[in-house]
């Protein structure tokens, strides 16, 4: 069970991640950013990066480190602030998000940025990458590292996801953890309307995975899930709210990818400051 001190630390980090998401988006001006699906991931990223990630800031090539793959790469807007909370990036670096020449691009890129090991953003590819990384670790007899793959529920429409799921089970990759941000909304609309994949948990079980379904905004539940030991590949189906934390963004598809006016920005900051 996660201790209360760690739960509080991760919860505070999630709130700061949301504040950073709003600040970074507003700073992009007319460019905007992927707000909704980044805000929904704050707790699942803080619970990992602050609570449970095996990473050595003094030795970024440490063989026993965990690997993180942000398959839903458009949520880099949430990933970078989480890395700040873990001490991997410096807070000042967030000011460079999406600027010309910046290492903090709209999707994770292999451009030398500390803590980013995998480029991503082409949906449906991250789990296959995770399978390959796990196979490599297994052949090196590395039973310490885990591979965490963050995905979106809309991303699970992709057939490549299920090819990777079958492969992970076939090869017995019990160090592979998939976390699905199940916020119910994708770019084209509600996920059930675009392509109904329910019941999601039963589908993963049928592919030979261990499955847990939980509240993706419950830090304690997330930490406990990250602590689970499994004999099979493991998927966490995290039920979340798109745009979580900002009243006018919650469950609003218009903020899947959007810019912020001055009034919208000020309202968002005011709402977050009542919690921070």
């Amino acid at each position: 069970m996660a201790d209360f001190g760690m739960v509080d630390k991760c919860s505070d980090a999630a709130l700061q991640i949301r504040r950073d998401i709003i600040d970074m988006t507003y700073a992009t001006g007319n460019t905007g950013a992927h707000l909704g699906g980044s805000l929904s991931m704050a707790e699942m990223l803080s619970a990992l990066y602050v609570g449970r990630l095996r990473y050595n800031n003094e030795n970024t090539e440490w063989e026993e480190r965990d690997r993180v793959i942000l398959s839903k790469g458009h949520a880099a807007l949430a990933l970078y602030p989480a890395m700040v909370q873990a001490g991997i990036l410096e807070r000042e670096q967030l000011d460079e998000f999406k600027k010309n020449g910046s290492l903090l691009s709209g999707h994770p890129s292999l451009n030398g940025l500390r803590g980013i090991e995998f480029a991503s953003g082409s949906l449906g590819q991250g789990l296959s990458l995770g399978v390959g990384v796990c196979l490599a670790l297994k052949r090196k007899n590395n039973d310490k590292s885990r591979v965490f793959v963050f995905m979106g529920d809309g991303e699970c429409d992709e057939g490549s996801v299920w090819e990777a799921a079958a492969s992970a089970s076939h090869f017995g990759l019990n160090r592979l953890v998939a976390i699905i941000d199940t916020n119910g909304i994708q770019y084209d609309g509600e996920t059930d309307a675009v392509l109904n994949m329910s019941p999601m948990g039963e589908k993963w079980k049928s592919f030979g995975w261990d499955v847990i379904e939980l509240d993706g905004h419950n830090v304690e539940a997330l930490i406990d899930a990250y602590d689970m030991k499994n004999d099979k590949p493991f998927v966490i189906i995290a039920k979340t709210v798109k745009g979580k934390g900002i009243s006018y963004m919650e469950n609003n598809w218009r903020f899947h990818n959007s810019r912020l006016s001055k009034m919208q920005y000020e309202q968002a900051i005011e709402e977050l400051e009542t919690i921070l």
Side-chain angles (χ1 to χ4, degrees):
M1 295 289 290
D3 65 82
F4 291 122
M6 182 55 70
V7 170
D8 288 344
K9 186 177 180 180
C10 292
S11 296
D12 290 344
L15 289 174
Q16 185 58 55
I17 288 169
R18 287 197 171 90
R19 172 63 190 259
D20 290 336
I21 287 171
I22 298 302
D23 285 338
M24 291 162 68
T25 301
Y26 186 60
T28 65
N30 290 332
T31 303
H34 287 86
L35 279 160
S38 295
L39 290 165
S40 61
M41 291 188 67
E43 283 82 10
M44 60 182 75
L45 287 170
S46 71
L48 180 63
Y49 271 90
V50 178
R52 288 298 181 264
L53 188 72
R54 288 170 56 89
Y55 189 82
N56 187 337
N57 280 325
E58 302 302 318
N59 178 14
T60 59
E61 298 300 317
W62 180 43
E63 282 295 323
E64 294 184 3
R65 71 191 183 280
D66 292 332
R67 277 69 166 178
V68 179
I69 299 169
L70 185 67
S71 189
K72 54 171 289 184
H74 54 281
L77 180 62
L79 177 66
Y80 301 140
M83 293 167 67
V84 169
Q85 293 297 315
I88 298 171
L89 299 181
E90 299 295 330
R91 172 158 298 282
E92 299 75 39
Q93 291 179 267
L94 298 183
D95 296 336
E96 299 301 314
F97 178 64
K98 292 186 76 173
K99 291 184 178 178
N100 289 338
S102 171
L103 298 182
L104 273 67
S105 51
H107 293 70
S109 178
L110 286 177
N111 55 14
L113 182 66
R114 178 183 173 92
I116 298 293
E117 299 187 78
F118 309 99
S120 64
S122 182
L123 295 179
Q125 304 302 308
L127 192 60
S128 294
L129 179 55
V131 168
V133 174
C134 274
L135 278 171
L137 293 173
K138 189 172 184 177
R139 290 175 180 176
K140 292 180 178 179
N141 296 314
N142 180 340
D143 61 355
K144 303 294 185 182
S145 302
R146 289 188 293 172
V147 179
F148 295 90
V149 182
F150 287 92
M151 305 163 60
D153 50 354
E155 182 177 1
C156 292
D157 296 353
E158 302 279 358
S160 54
V161 168
W162 301 103
E163 290 183 66
S167 296
S169 177
H170 174 76
F171 291 112
L173 303 181
N174 66 318
R175 309 298 293 174
L176 179 62
V177 183
I179 308 99
I180 303 176
D181 179 15
T182 312
N183 60 43
I185 300 174
Q186 60 193 92
Y187 183 78
D188 300 302
E190 294 184 2
T191 54
D192 285 350
V194 175
L195 183 62
N196 192 338
M197 298 295 289
S198 300
M200 183 73 79
E202 293 302 314
K203 286 182 172 59
W204 285 92
K205 287 178 184 177
S206 73
F207 275 77
W209 285 55
D210 284 336
V211 179
I212 187 171
E213 302 188 44
L214 50 71
D215 177 355
H217 302 302
N218 184 324
V219 167
E220 183 176 8
L222 286 162
I223 293 175
D224 288 344
Y226 292 148
D227 282 342
M228 292 179 67
K229 308 300 182 185
N230 302 90
D231 296 324
K232 303 176 181 179
F234 177 46
V235 61
I236 300 169
I237 299 175
K239 180 66 176 177
T240 62
V241 176
K242 193 146 189 168
K244 175 70 174 179
I246 312 299
S247 61
Y248 63 88
M249 295 187 196
E250 290 191 352
N251 294 315
N252 187 341
W253 63 268
R254 292 178 177 84
F255 287 94
H256 175 87
N257 184 18
S258 181
R259 61 186 181 181
L260 291 175
S261 67
K262 186 173 186 293
M263 184 174 67
Q264 289 172 325
Y265 170 74
E266 290 174 348
Q267 181 181 339
I269 293 300
E270 182 178 353
E271 291 184 13
L272 289 173
E273 286 181 345
T274 63
I275 306 172
L276 284 168

